[in-house]
Amino acid sequence: MNAAKTPPPSRCRCLVLNPGLEVLDYRVPPGMVVGPGSVVVAPLGPRQIIGVVWEDGRLPGADFPLAKLRPLLSVLPVAPLPAPLRRLIEWTADYYLAPLSQVARMALSSSAALQGGGMTTEYRLTGAEAGRMTPQRTRAIERLAGQQATIRELAELAGVSDAVLRGMVTAGLLEAVRVDSDRAYPMPNPDHAVPDLNDGQAEAAEHIIAAVRARRFAPFLLDGVTGSGKTEVYAEAIAAALAMDRQVLILLPEIALTQNFLTRFEARFGAAPVAWHSALKASERRRAWRQVSLGGAKVVVGARSALFLPFADLGLIVVDEAHEIAFKQDDGVRYNARDVAVMRARFEAVPVVLASATPALESLAMAEAGRYERLVLPDRFGGAQMPDIRIVDLRTDQPERGRWIAPPLVKALKERAERGEQSLLFLNRRGYAPLTLCRGCGYRFCCPNCSAWLVEHRLSQRLACHHCGHEVPPPPTCPECGEPDCLVACGPGVERIADEMAQILPDARVIVATSDTLNSPDKAAEFVELVTGGGVDVIVGTQLVTKGFHFPDLTLVGVIDADMGLEGGDLRAAERTYQQIAQVSGRAGRGDKPGEVLLQTRHPEAAVIAALASGDRDAFYAAETEARRDAGAPPFGRWAAIIVSSEDEAEARDAARAIGGTRPSLADVAILGPAPAPLSLLRGRYRYRLLVNARRSSDLQSVLRDWLGLLKFPQGVRVAVDIDPYSFV
Ligand SMILES: [Zn+2]
Ligand SMILES: [Zn+2]
């Protein structure tokens, strides 16, 4: 910007990162140059806050005289937030009824990056074995292999104090490395290892590539059965964007899948993409954020939060496993990353690919309506066949008493063991047992902070609440009647199934795969390596193993309880059950050996189970579409949840009643409640809920804004609005 030709405005409007204030005007002191998107430091009372300069006309504000405005303090040394990102922040805040400042915070997601580039000192092991070895030093050496980070970060990784590591620097065990936080990442090479695509793949890729080259907004639904090679298709579109020197964002639903994806990506492009997720160290976040804004990070693969990164020149967005519920954020700004990704693509004028073997009904409806272009891959890649799906009727084929695996599944597991093939048992429940009782008095172990049972985790010897993280060691006596050794486990979790497996096949090597055991990208990578290398016979896993993994020797999938997802009365229960079981079934028979799936159920007649068994996806979607139409549910109608909570039960109830008492009376909006939420106590807060169901055409957000905007609540009350909710608890 040339300050001599265009004199800087003498005042500017800022979005400040302060909930409640949000928009403030400031004076621009002489010599300071700012424009829309500039990240600035501004005074607020005696404090300093961070703000983003915004276009005047787009944010409402009070027009105080210039003389009354306080001057900005400084401009931070980062590129201005680009206009498409500013539009995305506005849209997200407006659509999800979230404070603008809270959304802007998601874009400014590395405070270190805002301070500019520069050199920092990181440390790594020297490999020397000099000096006195203590247990702490030995542990640090074990845990820090291959790591390089600041002393603070290494101390956290190793679980030792900073002082121990400083001592190791003095002893020559660790060495300092000067690094530049603005160093670019290795460039992926679009021509590194170009695969041979089959005709279907090549044709689908051509459509996306044309949109990448045309630099136009184009939403694609890449709809292909599990194992059909969707990744290879969108990889060619990524190559096209790279050839134009543009950036690419790939969203994945789980961190645990990242490592597997990085490996495959590196094989195709010769360099790994830049990862973005909550497990990054602060120094890694700083570098990634800065390089994204400078254009030096070409391909970013990340969890939903990557959606708000300040890309300098985005050319393509991919949402893999786009149907996944994990894309919905359920606290803070309650957004759905799949939907926000489409909006970002629109603001950036680039194509977006939603890839899935089991698309969300909403996405299919958009394709039907012609708003998304649907690209179909009907066949498995390399001639592999879809697995056979068989039903095990638990009413006639009962497991032995105290067991959960029915005789037909036991038989199939034994056959695989004899042939040296791998099996996967799926049960979406972590831990050993979901409920623990006292055998003496029937006392149920519940969480003191939530209306939920404590789940026994036998491997780590604790009773844990999966909602708030509260945990206790299993008590030696019943807290109610005092009887010793009284605990009875009720129902199965994956650990219990693994125990049962050990009884069925004592020699089998069994691994439990859940978010408890695969809780970091490194552990997930170890798991993949172990299974691929043939070091495992049976995997017992939760939804974490239903997607993304490709194990050629895995030929049997057993679903322990196909009915489980149908309980609870959730709007999407049938769809989610279908997706989850279709996805986990897709793990079987991906190599040259055919796969088989056994579904254990008590309701073989249920539409979703029958559709799975017959492999008739279209029939399932057609039936589900009709059910949604009847219920006025998405995509035919819209839902919003209002969740009122307080640590004081009466206060929460009164606030919920106050909201209910001022409900608007509108022809196209139905309001249900207030009622205690199914999870009526969560993390120490009592919860009440109202549900709003509106016609597709109604302006739901305006209705909610007008309604809730008039009410005032006591300090301890929180009122959260969830637009397009997924969870109804
Ligand atoms: Zn008892
Ligand atoms: Zn709890």
Side-chain angles (χ1 to χ4, degrees), residues 293-560:
S293 76
L294 295 168
K298 285 297 174 211
V299 180
V300 175
V301 53
R304 55 185 181 230
S305 60
L307 200 46
F308 291 92
L309 283 170
F311 287 92
D313 183 26
L314 196 57
L316 171 69
I317 302 176
V318 175
V319 185
D320 205 353
E321 312 286 356
H323 61 279
E324 271 293 325
I325 183 179
F327 284 120
K328 177 71 166 70
Q329 174 145 308
D330 267 335
D331 51 17
V333 181
R334 294 162 183 260
Y335 66 98
N336 186 323
R338 180 192 70 216
D339 299 338
V340 179
V342 174
M343 289 314 293
R344 178 142 198 188
R346 175 182 292 245
F347 292 129
E348 301 274 356
V350 300
V352 54
V353 178
L354 308 181
S356 176
T358 51
L361 205 70
E362 285 91 333
S363 302
L364 280 174
M366 292 296 269
E368 295 272 299
R371 302 188 49 191
Y372 294 177
E373 186 177 345
R374 185 169 171 197
L375 305 171
V376 181
L377 301 176
D379 301 319
R380 279 199 154 182
F381 188 71
Q385 295 300 304
M386 291 304 286
D388 274 336
I389 301 188
R390 266 206 292 149
I391 283 178
V392 177
D393 187 340
L394 290 175
R395 295 169 306 186
T396 47
D397 269 321
Q398 288 175 355
E400 283 173 41
R401 202 180 145 73
R403 294 202 176 184
W404 316 95
I405 304 175
L409 185 50
V410 170
K411 181 163 167 277
L413 285 161
K414 286 183 173 164
E415 285 166 9
R416 293 314 183 288
E418 275 162 28
R419 297 210 294 264
E421 295 171 6
Q422 293 169 323
S423 304
L424 165 63
L425 293 177
F426 170 67
L427 176 66
N428 201 21
R429 202 185 266 144
R430 292 156 52 205
Y432 185 85
L435 168 63
T436 303
L437 294 178
C438 166
R439 108 171 69 239
C441 69
Y443 173 81
R444 296 168 169 215
F445 287 80
C446 291
C447 177
N449 313 315
C450 308
S451 37
W453 296 332
L454 292 178
V455 177
E456 182 184 0
H457 286 252
R458 206 163 271 191
L459 294 175
S460 54
Q461 301 208 332
R462 63 204 165 99
L463 295 172
C465 172
H466 286 178
H467 297 287
C468 71
H470 170 85
E471 54 182 57
V472 289
T477 57
C478 172
E480 191 73 14
C481 70
E483 184 167 320
D485 298 323
C486 64
L487 305 190
V488 189
C490 297
V494 282
E495 290 178 10
R496 195 169 200 176
I497 300 300
D499 271 11
E500 187 174 334
M501 218 34 252
Q503 290 162 25
I504 295 169
L505 292 168
D507 295 330
R509 295 159 301 172
V510 180
I511 188 168
V512 172
T514 70
S515 55
D516 297 306
T517 59
L518 308 185
N519 54 11
S520 73
D522 289 349
K523 291 210 178 128
E526 272 171 42
F527 165 72
V528 171
E529 213 167 291
L530 191 64
V531 179
T532 316
V536 170
D537 301 309
V538 182
I539 305 166
V540 184
T542 58
Q543 53 82 26
L544 203 60
V545 295
T546 57
K547 58 214 161 227
F549 294 115
H550 178 75
F551 301 129
D553 289 327
L554 200 157
T555 59
L556 174 68
V557 167
V559 176
I560 300 295

